[in-house]
Each structure stands twice: as C-alpha cells, then as structure tokens.
Amino acid sequence: MNADFHTLARFLRERPTRRRVISIPEYAESTTIPTGKFRGVRFRNTRAPYLTEPMTLMGPGSPVQEVRCMFPAQTGKSTVGEIVTMFYIEIVPSEILYVTSNETAAMKWLRRRIEPRAKAAGIEFRADTSAIARRTGDTISSKEFPGGNLDLASALSVAQLASETKRIVVADETDRWKLTLGNDGLAWDQMAARAQAWGDEKKILAISTPTIATLSVIAALYEEGDQRLYFVPCPHCGTMQLLDFSS
C-alpha cells in the first residue's frame, strides 16, 4: 500500500497540468506601449480603468460575443483593439480579422501597432501563402503566426470583408467607414457574417469615436446593446457619478 501511494504521488507531481489562461487585463499588464507619447512604458490597468471591462468581456472565458465601445477621442480605445489582437496572437492563437476605414490605415496599424508588439513577444509573422492569398495576390495584408492568422481588411472592399471565416473580429473607427457597399448591403453586416460559423466562440469588438449622430455607426451599435456607462466616485462624498461636460 505504501509503495502504491508513493507511485501515485509521483505520478500526480509529474503529470502535465493544464495552465490557466490569463485574462486579457492580466495580459495587458505584461505589455509595453509601442508608439506615441508613452512609447516603451509598461501598460497599467490603473491608468485607464475604464478599459478593463471591455478587455475582460473580449476574453475567451466571457459569454459575451460582441463588445461595442463608443469612446471620446484619445482615451485609449485603439489600445483595447491592439491588446485584444495580441492576446489572440500570443496567448490564445486564433483566426483574426482587423477592419478599418481603408487599406492605408490598416497597414499603418499593423506596422506601427502590432508588429512592434509581436517582435517584443518573440513572434514572427509569415506572409500568408494560402490558396486564397495566392489567388488574390494579397499576401501583404494576410499574416500567419503559430496557431493562427491575421487578416487586414478595408471597410471599402466587399472582397476583403466576405472571404474566410474568423473567430476574432476587430472593427476599428467604424464611423469612418462607408455605410453601404452598393448592392452588397452594409459593411458591418458583411464583416459580422465572417464570424457566424464560430457560434458562441466568436468575439467581435467595435471601437470608434462617434461623429454625426444620425450617421454614426458606433452610436447605432451602442444603442442596440445594454448601453453601459462609466461612473467615477465623487472625490468629496464618494457618490458614483457620470462625468458630463455638455453643460
């Protein structure tokens, strides 16, 4: 009996265990900001606590499938997209689609925001040599990495929005998109269809600063959701309040 106990104990010690997947906010604190005024500074959730919930909801452990962030300019909304993308490159490798207003903006995002982060993490991108990429000649905007791939798409291109299925979709600056694509309908609908095959595992993140109310894509998306707001405590009495500068 004693020998059997020691054999079992040794087996339990030596067997491989499943590593807990860290949350996206936890992952964020292991990264550094690649560009801008705070370039090279370690990211801290305490500096922008309102970004924590969107990142958490985009994690694989959350049942939420779509997160829609309507933020003011220069408040870190693009950082959420970068960190979510890198999480699904480095921690939970997946098929990812990044969509923005045009191809120039998409390539700038890749080169200035994602490639420096990937290099710091020791991840090397490879040009996508799949049959689809070879057929379209679009290997610059299709990158492979161990366990997954990243496609860049312009919201102006039906072909780029309507190709392969993707588990993770990041829709950046939606209010700069062209609303409709002629007879092909809404750009948002074309993009969202890419993730349908993933069912409950899909994750779609929309981020933008609103523009004209009647034409704002992000405002319409926000109103379709549960319309969460960020409250802060009064420095005097501690009452939670919404900061409103309209008056």
Side-chain angles (χ1 to χ4, degrees):
M1 176 68 71
N2 191 44
D4 290 340
F5 173 81
H6 287 297
T7 299
L8 177 60
R10 186 173 66 253
F11 168 77
L12 292 175
R13 286 196 305 269
E14 297 175 352
R15 69 173 182 164
T17 57
R18 185 177 181 181
R19 186 182 67 175
R20 181 183 74 88
V21 175
I22 64 174
S23 69
I24 297 182
E26 287 176 307
Y27 168 75
E29 295 219 324
S30 71
T31 68
T32 56
I33 300 170
T35 60
K37 178 180 178 181
F38 298 104
R39 180 177 181 176
V41 175
R42 181 65 63 90
F43 182 90
R44 289 286 180 262
N45 291 308
T46 53
R47 293 194 182 108
Y50 51 87
L51 302 180
T52 301
E53 186 176 42
M55 289 192 289
T56 300
L57 296 178
M58 282 297 294
S62 168
V64 174
Q65 297 174 21
E66 293 190 25
V67 178
R68 300 163 175 185
C69 300
M70 184 170 65
F71 284 8
Q74 302 300 312
T75 52
K77 63 183 183 301
S78 295
T79 300
V80 176
E82 295 167 30
I83 292 174
V84 166
T85 300
M86 282 304 306
F87 177 86
Y88 284 105
I89 290 174
E90 185 177 1
I91 305 300
V92 184
S94 305
E95 291 78 18
I96 308 167
L97 172 66
Y98 172 82
V99 184
T100 193
S101 55
N102 57 68
E103 291 184 8
T104 300
M107 291 308 303
K108 182 185 294 186
W109 176 83
L110 175 67
R111 290 170 177 158
R112 295 184 180 180
R113 304 283 184 166
I114 298 302
E115 288 182 345
R117 289 181 180 272
K119 183 178 180 180
I123 297 171
E124 183 177 349
F125 289 129
R126 302 183 303 274
D128 187 350
T129 56
S130 66
I132 292 177
R134 289 196 302 271
R135 185 170 64 249
T136 61
D138 192 16
T139 56
I140 295 177
S141 57
S142 298
K143 301 296 181 182
E144 294 180 340
F145 51 86
N149 55 73
L150 169 64
D151 282 0
L152 308 182
S154 164
L156 299 173
S157 171
V158 176
Q160 292 177 7
L161 291 176
S163 54
E164 297 174 304
T165 62
K166 298 292 178 182
R167 179 190 176 192
I168 311 299
V169 178
V170 177
D172 198 4
E173 294 294 2
T174 58
D175 274 29
R176 296 181 183 177
W177 294 15
K178 185 178 179 181
L179 291 177
T180 62
L181 299 172
N183 295 330
D184 293 293
L186 297 176
W188 173 266
D189 292 341
Q190 290 282 346
M191 180 210 69
R194 298 278 295 272
Q196 286 182 352
W198 284 91
D200 293 344
E201 294 183 75
K202 72 180 180 183
K203 292 285 183 178
I204 300 177
L205 172 66
I207 44 181
S208 187
T209 297
T211 52
I212 301 172
T214 55
L215 299 176
S216 174
V217 174
I218 196 64
L221 293 172
Y222 173 78
E223 290 183 3
E224 287 179 359
D226 57 11
Q227 301 179 25
R228 299 185 188 190
L229 299 168
Y230 187 74
F231 287 76
V232 296
C234 171
H236 303 289
C237 67
T239 300
M240 299 302 290
Q241 59 185 324
L242 178 67
L243 292 182
D244 185 356
F245 297 97
S246 59
S247 58

